[in-house]
Amino acid sequence: MPHTIVIFGASGDLTSRKLVPALYNLMRIGELPPGTRIVGFSRTPMTDDAWRASLRESTARHAEGEPFNAEAWQAFAPNIFYQQGDIGSSDDVSRLRRRLESLEAGVETTRVYYLATAPEFYEPVVGALGALGMAAESHGPRRIVVEKPFGTDLATARSLNASLHGVFDESQIYRIDHYLGKESVQNMLALRFANTIFEPVWNRRYIDHVQITVAEEVTVGRRGAYYESAGVLRDMFQNHLLQLLMVTAMEAPVRFRAKAVRDEKVKVLEAIRAFDLQQVAAAGVRGQYEGYLAEPGVAPGSQVATFGAIRLEIDNWRWQGVPFYLRSGKAMSCRTTQIVIGFREPPLELFTEGSPIHREANRLVIQIQPAEGIQLHFHTKVPGDGMRLRMTDLSFSYSREFRARLPEAYEPLLLDVMTGDASLFARSDEVEKSWEIIDPFVRAWASPDMRPIDLYTPGDWGPVASTRWMEAQGRTWFDLCPVLT
Ligand code: BG6
């Protein structure tokens, strides 16, 4: 069955930087279902050809992997169409519907509506599609992809879910979090559930704590106006960091199908201990990089956090008493996303040669990006006299092992939407639960009772308060920059 991908917000950044390059790459490697057409909708007046020309230029700049292939583009471009219109005008949306019907020419087609607009347009788009009966599946499946941010708190997420459910069935809705499209995030499922050696130690008996870090070197830059209303909690924690936590902590699903996978993920969120506002203050640290206030769009004296670290507890049999530390920031030391499983120390210290040092415990580092790979750190006897030990590692690297480029996160996710596999997309209860967990932190950090935000120098691992906070809990952050080869 052919596919039509209708992109709302066609002239926006997401479309030109991510969506179209991903679709082009899929086509180039022969994975895009034949006959897939792309129809862009936005207010900017443009012809089909003008949009094609502008996408050609942006795709050449943004498509990852091989150098831009003009021939492949030539074959791809004729399936790209543009429809100018305003989502607020039912005439314009009717015109879009007629255009889609004429392109599809009565052939049963899987239609995917992609919400790549600013978030305030999500509900109007859904409403317009509903009013014109465009979610009805009499001429093929109809699906809708909703980008982040999915609401700005629990109440708005609920209201967006309610609007979506007013028009679409839950099975037609794909809430995208591009972190789940990352090869190394999906590999967490393989690591845990396609092997037996990790499962016996993957619990409170052997694991002391877990650290999940998403550090970025980039600053907020031109996104100041958006960032002022988001801050690091809404921008990174409610979605990406909680997704990483879920794949680390979930139980094995009974099968690799959307319902089973999502049921297990939601159970993790349900087991996260609820904090009241006072507990929240002690369960996290926030920071702001020096220079944030000078970014365009940032309010004078803004207390918005560009760095955050929080501690969550999962109250279930597997994880009781094992803290999960989540940390993210802009203007940090390096770009790295990693999950570090910190194991317990041996119950008895046998090798005390030299000074009675506090030895590092084993750790498993899952390097999500860049330098995707996994390292297991353990002690080894240093050759020579006596029992001197040193930390050494076993290391797996994607680039060493596999020659092919790693697909951009949007590529597998777009294919999943086309084939109707929602395993790697968030369900309505999952996003609502995520907000329930993050909302108290957002409220506490915005409260006037909070002490002034701690500053950090760009290039550091967040404020000094973060190091101290961790030390006060008898632990240290693994501040590891990946080794790029
Ligand atoms: C986005 C955030 O969702 O993820 C950005 O809005 C952030 O602030 C980005 O930079 C990080 O994504 P990635 O794939 O580069 O790690």
Side-chain angles (χ1 to χ4, degrees), residues 220 227-228 230-233 284-293 298-309 328-330 441-442 444-457 462-466:
V220 165
Y227 205 83
E228 278 288 278
V232 70
L233 286 170
V285 204
R286 56 187 195 136
Q288 187 186 83
Y289 65 83
E290 283 161 10
Y292 173 69
L293 295 180
V298 170
S302 165
Q303 293 287 294
V304 164
T306 60
F307 168 92
S328 182
K330 301 272 186 208
F441 286 93
V442 174
W445 289 10
S447 138
D449 302 339
M450 272 307 261
R451 66 187 185 91
I453 197 160
D454 288 298
L455 298 181
Y456 59 98
T457 312
V464 180
S466 158

Side-chain angles (χ1 to χ4, degrees), residues 148 178-179 182 216 223 226 235-236 240 330 335 369:
K148 71 159 270 240
H178 77 283
Y179 264 59
K182 292 184 192 279
E216 295 182 281
R223 297 171 77 209
Y226 153 75
D235 190 45
M236 300 299 286
H240 310 322
K330 301 272 186 208
R335 173 171 181 249
Q369 67 180 20

Side-chain angles (χ1 to χ4, degrees), residues 142-440:
R142 299 290 181 260
R143 304 187 181 124
I144 184 158
V145 184
V146 191
E147 265 292 337
K148 71 159 270 240
F150 195 93
T152 53
D153 57 12
L154 178 59
T156 48
R158 276 194 181 138
S159 139
L160 180 52
N161 270 333
S163 304
L164 282 161
H165 289 151
V167 176
F168 292 91
D169 183 73
E170 177 65 24
S171 62
Q172 296 174 281
I173 305 169
Y174 290 71
R175 297 171 192 80
I176 200 163
D177 183 317
H178 77 283
Y179 264 59
L180 288 176
K182 292 184 192 279
E183 205 56 49
S184 46
V185 174
Q186 291 174 51
N187 189 49
M188 268 305 270
L189 301 173
L191 178 83
R192 294 197 51 211
F193 305 132
N195 298 298
T196 49
I197 57 169
F198 299 108
E199 172 55 22
V201 296
W202 209 263
N203 56 53
R204 62 195 298 270
R205 215 166 148 210
Y206 293 96
I207 296 178
D208 175 70
H209 73 285
V210 176
Q211 294 185 18
I212 302 180
T213 298
V214 182
E216 295 182 281
E217 254 182 297
V218 292
T219 59
V220 165
R222 289 183 303 121
R223 297 171 77 209
Y226 153 75
Y227 205 83
E228 278 288 278
S229 64
V232 70
L233 286 170
R234 291 190 175 107
D235 190 45
M236 300 299 286
F237 280 71
Q238 181 272 334
N239 35 68
H240 310 322
L241 278 127
L242 283 183
Q243 287 294 345
L244 296 178
L245 176 142
M246 283 185 262
V247 292
T248 309
M250 69 192 275
E251 297 299 317
V254 285
R255 58 185 62 82
F256 193 51
R257 291 277 183 282
K259 178 173 182 328
V261 171
R262 302 197 294 186
D263 282 351
E264 294 307 334
K265 285 171 65 192
V266 170
K267 279 187 213 161
V268 174
L269 298 182
E270 276 168 353
I272 291 182
R273 193 176 303 162
F275 287 135
D276 61 34
L277 285 191
Q278 241 160 23
Q279 292 165 324
V280 159
V285 204
R286 56 187 195 136
Q288 187 186 83
Y289 65 83
E290 283 161 10
Y292 173 69
L293 295 180
E295 305 280 20
V298 170
S302 165
Q303 293 287 294
V304 164
T306 60
F307 168 92
I310 68 173
R311 170 187 165 129
L312 297 176
E313 303 277 346
I314 304 177
D315 288 332
N316 64 17
W317 276 58
R318 187 186 287 273
W319 296 116
Q320 177 64 237
V322 180
F324 278 69
Y325 294 98
L326 311 188
R327 168 174 72 150
S328 182
K330 301 272 186 208
M332 302 267 284
S333 172
C334 56
R335 173 171 181 249
T336 180
T337 298
Q338 57 190 239
I339 301 171
V340 185
I341 312 292
F343 288 94
R344 288 189 186 283
E345 288 168 22
L348 184 67
E349 187 64 275
L350 286 185
F351 309 111
T352 51
E353 192 163 299
S355 54
I357 46 159
H358 178 75
R359 196 160 281 139
E360 283 178 275
N362 297 133
R363 56 177 189 262
L364 181 70
V365 179
I366 295 123
Q367 186 64 46
I368 304 289
Q369 67 180 20
E372 291 80 357
I374 299 173
Q375 295 96 38
L376 179 63
H377 297 257
F378 52 89
H379 293 285
T380 299
K381 179 184 172 304
V382 176
D385 254 8
M387 283 300 282
R388 276 192 306 119
L389 304 184
R390 209 189 76 194
M391 215 47 167
T392 50
D393 67 301
L394 280 176
S395 172
F396 154 72
S397 138
Y398 269 87
S399 63
R400 226 178 22 232
E401 195 66 30
F402 304 107
R403 309 206 104 216
R405 80 180 174 101
L406 290 179
E408 246 290 296
Y410 277 93
E411 296 174 25
L413 294 177
L414 282 164
L415 275 186
D416 283 354
V417 181
M418 288 190 241
T419 52
D421 180 353
S423 313
L424 297 177
F425 294 81
R427 205 164 58 188
S428 57
D429 50 347
E430 190 176 327
V431 277
E432 290 183 15
K433 273 273 152 209
S434 303
W435 277 118
E436 245 174 270
I437 293 160
I438 296 303
D439 262 2

Side-chain angles (χ1 to χ4, degrees), residues 25-214:
N25 260 333
L26 287 172
M27 182 268 171
R28 192 176 54 77
I29 58 177
E31 289 192 12
L32 193 71
T36 301
R37 63 179 78 77
I38 303 168
V39 180
F41 182 82
S42 71
R43 277 175 302 190
T44 317
M46 253 189 302
T47 60
D48 288 344
D49 279 338
W51 197 43
R52 287 173 188 152
S54 117
L55 289 178
R56 183 186 198 281
E57 188 265 323
S58 52
T59 304
R61 247 182 311 132
H62 298 297
E64 310 240 331
E66 320 270 305
F68 182 72
N69 180 332
E71 230 170 273
W73 181 266
Q74 211 69 36
F76 181 63
N79 290 327
I80 299 178
F81 306 91
Y82 184 79
Q83 179 68 33
Q84 192 263 330
D86 185 336
I87 198 57
S89 144
S90 59
D91 283 353
D92 287 359
V93 182
S94 296
R95 258 194 290 279
L96 170 68
R97 190 182 63 176
R98 283 199 296 279
R99 180 90 194 270
L100 293 172
E101 284 164 359
S102 109
L103 288 167
E104 289 164 359
V107 177
E108 282 223 344
T109 302
T110 301
R111 212 187 270 171
V112 174
Y113 302 114
Y114 202 115
L115 301 188
T117 60
E120 60 267 31
F121 296 112
Y122 293 173
E123 294 193 36
V125 175
V126 172
L129 293 174
L132 289 167
M134 291 169 77
E137 300 198 293
S138 47
H139 288 85
R142 299 290 181 260
R143 304 187 181 124
I144 184 158
V145 184
V146 191
E147 265 292 337
K148 71 159 270 240
F150 195 93
T152 53
D153 57 12
L154 178 59
T156 48
R158 276 194 181 138
S159 139
L160 180 52
N161 270 333
S163 304
L164 282 161
H165 289 151
V167 176
F168 292 91
D169 183 73
E170 177 65 24
S171 62
Q172 296 174 281
I173 305 169
Y174 290 71
R175 297 171 192 80
I176 200 163
D177 183 317
H178 77 283
Y179 264 59
L180 288 176
K182 292 184 192 279
E183 205 56 49
S184 46
V185 174
Q186 291 174 51
N187 189 49
M188 268 305 270
L189 301 173
L191 178 83
R192 294 197 51 211
F193 305 132
N195 298 298
T196 49
I197 57 169
F198 299 108
E199 172 55 22
V201 296
W202 209 263
N203 56 53
R204 62 195 298 270
R205 215 166 148 210
Y206 293 96
I207 296 178
D208 175 70
H209 73 285
V210 176
Q211 294 185 18
I212 302 180
T213 298
V214 182

